[in-house]
Amino acid sequence: MSSINEYIENNKQRFLDELFDLLRFPSVSADSKYKGDVLKAADYLAEKLREAGADQVEVCPTAGNPIVYGEKTVDASLPTVLVYGHYDVQPPEPLELWHTPPFEPTIRDGKIFARGACDDKGQVYMHVKAFEVMQKNGGIPCNIKFMIEGEEEVGSKNLEIFVRENTERLQADVVLISDTAMISLEHPSLETGLRGLSYVEVEVTGPNRDLHSGVYGGAVANPATILAKMIASMHDENNRITIPGFYDDVQELSEEERKALNNAPFSEEEYKDDLGIKELWGEKGYTTIERTGIRPTLEVNGIWGGYIGEGAKTVLPSKAYAKISMRLVPNQKSDKITELFTKHFESIAPAYVQVKVTPHHGGEPAVTPTDSIAYKAAALAIKESFGKDPIPCRGGGSIPIVSLFEDVLGLKTVLMGFGLDSDNLHSPNEKYDIANYFKGIETIPLFYKFYAQLSKKE
Ligand code: BES
Ligand code: MN
Ligand code: MN
């Protein structure tokens, strides 16, 4: 056993305990009532970075939640890795669906259940511990900069400002992020792209007040019905999105690239079983892997209006609402898609109603290179710790800051995630397998080893 693996083995319980302490802070960025807990989580992380041996550790204030920064410069001639992650989490609701409380981490069946266990506290903390492991076993073979933010789940607006204002401090050779998934421990993979996002809220208004549904129903258009129809019309019979111009900029993949993508192990039966559905759905002509990786989509994230309390109230609502997200693929631009959506939504509104579209945060898609030395270092690291070459695949989620790292800092990213799609990110009972946590801690030092070696050869 290598000294690194021995050190991990001897410190397993503490590595878990510390992660549990981090998970106990309800650092929900979407809800201001958690502001104090967000700050505590940031302080905790800063303290742990300091303890692990990082210098210049700072909890950098922003107009929103602070950014935790720390670095270790070993030697100016060595390459520098910028590690990015986020300590904020999604709201835990609906609470009644959690088997154990979201902020009381619990181990069941070898898995850590807690909000943020995988997304992204568990994965961020692997980097803090991998750093400690390297420091205690001969030192880190590269320079390292940590930048852990607290607003990823709400669009990273203040991080964008921070990055633009700190281009000097953030100079590096590559960005390393663990905030994505792999296929499984048996089939390790590396994500090579993220989708962009355009997110809007729509409001449909009918009559100037809620009405008695017996007295007025049948004579006045119901905004909830109209909204449902408008939303339904946004996919055609082939499940393609009907917004004019929506697909104009979509980068199509070559047959070869599509074939490679579809070579990844995937069982439709297991996928359906896991989700409890009988049939899959999606854009005609594309596989499930393609639909969730290289094709743009439109989803309703929430829809409401009228009476939704206990029992029945006979009412024809004045207003109906929906939150709608569109996932974007390379070449599509978030602002443009939001504009196309808005125009289209307004144009299909019948005269019975008025509509209002309010844009929320967005983000651009990103593709990460597979021919860089950093990607090769990640692949070699995985090969050594998992005993298998990683499979390159495209991720369906979004990390908006990745495209900004490229535009503002000129840095490419390696997405070395250790989560699983089935980790219930953003859902009740989010979990992270203990095995994945420790595999991550074992693999990250190998990344630095290979990255330093390959950089020297260049
Ligand atoms: N870690 C996820 C993104 C992710 C998940 C990428 C799984 C690949 C695989 C991240 O925290 C996230 O949830 N991002 C948001 C975007 C943000 C603007 C709210 C998302 O994808 O919905
Ligand atoms: Mn995340
Ligand atoms: Mn997330």
Side-chain angles (χ1 to χ4, degrees), residues 3-17:
S3 64
I4 281 195
N5 287 5
E6 206 173 292
Y7 185 89
I8 296 173
E9 198 53 45
N10 292 339
N11 288 278
K12 266 191 155 162
Q13 192 55 47
R14 180 171 58 83
F15 285 5
L16 275 177
D17 291 344

Side-chain angles (χ1 to χ4, degrees), residues 86 88 118-120 152-153 178-180 398-399 425-426:
H86 62 97
D88 66 318
C118 173
D119 185 11
D120 183 31
E152 194 275 343
E153 299 291 9
S178 295
D179 191 23
T180 50
S398 309
I399 308 176
L425 314 186
H426 300 196

Side-chain angles (χ1 to χ4, degrees), residues 37 48 63 85 119 124 134 142 165 168 173 184 191 196 226 275 290 318 334 352 362 406 411-412 425 436 446:
D37 301 296
K48 290 293 158 191
D119 185 11
V124 158
M134 289 184 283
C142 302
E165 285 175 354
E168 274 301 307
D173 294 282
S184 65
E191 289 194 4
I226 302 285
L275 299 175
E290 291 170 333
S318 161
S334 175
Y352 318 119
E406 179 146 13
L411 293 181
K412 303 274 188 203
L425 314 186
N436 292 49
L446 295 169

Side-chain angles (χ1 to χ4, degrees), residues 138-154:
I140 170 167
C142 302
N143 302 315
I144 189 167
K145 294 179 177 176
F146 288 96
M147 183 172 67
I148 320 292
E149 72 151 319
E151 297 187 324
E152 194 275 343
E153 299 291 9
V154 291

Side-chain angles (χ1 to χ4, degrees), residues 66-140:
I67 293 157
V68 180
Y69 182 84
E71 59 181 54
K72 184 87 211 170
T73 302
V74 181
D75 185 326
S77 68
L78 294 173
T80 301
V81 178
L82 175 60
V83 176
Y84 163 82
H86 62 97
Y87 66 83
D88 66 318
V89 299
Q90 287 269 330
E93 285 78 13
L95 292 175
E96 65 278 12
L97 296 184
W98 285 80
H99 301 312
T100 47
F103 299 107
E104 291 173 27
T106 311
I107 295 177
R108 284 195 301 280
D109 200 17
K111 301 167 177 76
I112 306 161
F113 286 86
R115 171 57 88 232
C118 173
D119 185 11
D120 183 31
K121 287 171 171 172
Q123 298 206 65
V124 158
Y125 211 66
M126 294 178 328
H127 283 270
V128 181
K129 290 301 99 178
F131 176 58
E132 176 193 321
V133 168
M134 289 184 283
Q135 285 291 96
K136 290 276 160 72
N137 291 275
I140 170 167

